[in-house]
């Protein structure tokens, strides 16, 4: 792979996260000086894996404390950096008490704070923003209103709100805010990445990412009586990390990039895992009828509106821009799913 043309340090916000940890690892492997922000660098439960990486790459990784809510906290970490990878933002779907405080505020205020630092720190040349496909669509049923077979970079989520799909809403308003701040200045440019549901082995042991809970629930017996007919647009965590580096390395890169290898149902994922690890986990074998999901959904933290607008619908994405303009190759889905399943089993999580 090409190398970012800089000897200056690069900044990764939320460096301990599921996606960011792979990004930090790949950057270190390529010889970069990496500045990583975390909420508390003395919290070994959260950052232990980064400390292990720091030992493996002596002198290359420096951690800084910075909270998305606090103005100016990203300045120190950003000093002398040319590339800023802004990944930090909560990815929590269920069990929310106050979506404004838990999702929208950190996504939106965090984006403002990180990009205000980029405006203050003269060395910054490019920001790579980790958005999501959920800034492109709100519900699977929205596919019927676009008069096309696939969602792509030109589409925007217009149906999510604080009350319905608040995580999707948080990513949409954060990406829109980033665009506004980006176009109000000319020193740094911005490349946006819109990954689907990211799966694959985790380096982070204490991430709250819904990626990890989704895969765990598929394997730990929670869905043994059956899975809803839900198709996920999947991408491998290692490919997402690589896409971030390609987005920095490719001078001509600009705008949004859909990162989805392909879409797959929960039962198809279970089938792939069963072929290799049948005796090691408790996988769903049957599909639960939509009416039954609608009935029990609220007891499992899924709203009836979500069930109505998503279960049983297909969803597809056009990933050609990421392939062509970044030169990204998506690894086969089976490799992503099996590597992730293997890690869950090896770690004794099921
Ligand atoms: P993750 O492991 O939970 O990472 C989220 C990161 O954000 C963590 O480092 C977390 O720190 C940090 N963060 C949360 N609130 C913060 C705050 N107030 N101040 C500072 N840092 C804060 O989740 P992930 O899956 O890697 O997600 C990373 C990014 O990718 C997010 O922007 C997410 O929206 C985006 N994304 C994820 C997926 C996916 O399927 N995973 C798909 C598309 C886009 P703590 O560990 O201290 O909480």
């Amino acid at each position: 792979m090409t190398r970012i043309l800089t000897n200056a340090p690069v900044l990764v916000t939320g460096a301990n996260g599921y996606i960011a940890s792979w990004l930090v690892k790949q950057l270190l492997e390529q010889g970069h000086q990496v500045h990583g922000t975390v909420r508390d660098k003395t919290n070994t439960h959260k950052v232990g894996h980064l400390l292990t990486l720091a030992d493996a790459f002596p002198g290359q990784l420096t951690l800084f404390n910075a909270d998305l809510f606090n103005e100016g906290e990203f300045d120190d970490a950003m000093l002398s950096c040319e590339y800023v990878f802004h990944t930090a933002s909560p990815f929590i779907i269920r069990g929310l008490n106050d979506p404004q405080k838990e999702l929208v505020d950190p996504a939106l205020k965090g984006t403002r704070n990180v990009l205000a630092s980029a405006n203050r720190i003269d060395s910054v040349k490019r920001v790579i923003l980790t958005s999501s496909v959920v800034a492109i669509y709100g519900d699977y049923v929205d596919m019927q209103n676009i008069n096309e077979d696939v969602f792509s970079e030109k589409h925007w989520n217009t149906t999510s709100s604080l009350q319905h799909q608040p995580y999707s809403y948080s990513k949409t308003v954060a990406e829109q805010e980033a665009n506004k701040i980006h176009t109000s200045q000319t020193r740094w440019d911005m490349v946006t990445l819109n990954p689907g549901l990211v799966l694959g082995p985790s380096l982070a042991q204490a991430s709250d990412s819904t990626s990890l809970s989704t895969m765990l629930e598929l394997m730990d017996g929670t869905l043994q009586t059956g899975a809803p007919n839900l198709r996920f647009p999947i991408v491998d965590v290692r490919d997402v990390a690589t896409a971030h580096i390609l987005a920095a390395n490719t001078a001509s890169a600009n705008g949004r990039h859909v990162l989805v290898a392909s879409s797959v149902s929960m039962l198809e994922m279970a089938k792939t895992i069963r072929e290799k690890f049948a005796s090691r986990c408790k996988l769903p074998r049957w599909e639960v009828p939509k009416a039954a999901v609608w009935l029990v959904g609220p007891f499992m933290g899924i709203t009836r509106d979500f069930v109505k607008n998503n279960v049983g619908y297909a969803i597809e994405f056009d990933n050609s821009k990421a392939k062509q303009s970044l030169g990204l190759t998506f690894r086969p889905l089976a490799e992503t799913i099996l590597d992730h399943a293997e890690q869950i089993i090896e770690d004794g999580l099921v």
Side-chain angles (χ1 to χ4, degrees), residues 276-295:
K276 195 162 175 200
F277 299 115
S279 62
R280 313 280 303 272
C281 48
K282 296 172 186 160
L283 296 155
R285 284 181 181 276
W286 300 279
E287 190 177 296
V288 182
K290 185 166 179 174
V293 185
W294 186 86
L295 212 61

Side-chain angles (χ1 to χ4, degrees), residues 89 91 93 107 129-140 142 146 151-161 165-179 192-197 233 256-260 315 317:
S89 200
F91 176 28
I93 304 274
L129 178 76
T130 316
S131 185
S132 169
V133 288
V134 300
I136 287 177
Y137 79 97
D139 290 303
Y140 290 7
D142 295 353
I146 61 169
F151 282 111
S152 68
E153 288 83 4
K154 70 179 175 197
H155 297 111
W156 278 94
N157 176 352
T158 56
T159 57
S160 295
S161 66
Q165 303 274 51
Y167 168 69
S168 308
Y169 179 66
S170 77
K171 295 303 286 182
T172 306
V173 293
E175 188 185 327
Q176 287 167 343
E177 183 71 5
N179 284 342
T192 302
L193 300 173
N194 301 79
L197 179 67
R256 315 170 95 189
H257 298 79
V258 167
L259 303 180
V260 172
I315 187 162
F317 289 87

Side-chain angles (χ1 to χ4, degrees), residues 13-21 37-40 43 46 66-70 74 86-92 102 105-107 110 130-134 167 170-171 193-199 202 204 206-212 233 235 237 240 244:
T13 68
N16 62 309
Y18 169 52
I19 294 173
S21 298
T37 65
V38 295
R39 282 202 256 197
D40 177 4
N43 181 345
K46 284 262 180 188
D67 194 296
L68 291 170
F69 284 97
N70 299 341
F74 290 85
H86 178 37
T87 82
S89 200
F91 176 28
I92 305 167
E102 292 167 79
D105 284 349
T130 316
S131 185
S132 169
V133 288
V134 300
Y167 168 69
S170 77
K171 295 303 286 182
L193 300 173
N194 301 79
L197 179 67
V198 182
L199 295 178
S202 177
S207 158
D208 298 322
S209 175
T210 296
S211 288
L212 304 183
V235 60
V237 67
V240 173
H244 280 71

Side-chain angles (χ1 to χ4, degrees), residues 250-265:
T250 311
S252 57
N254 68 83
R256 315 170 95 189
H257 298 79
V258 167
L259 303 180
V260 172
S262 55
S263 295
V264 66
S265 75

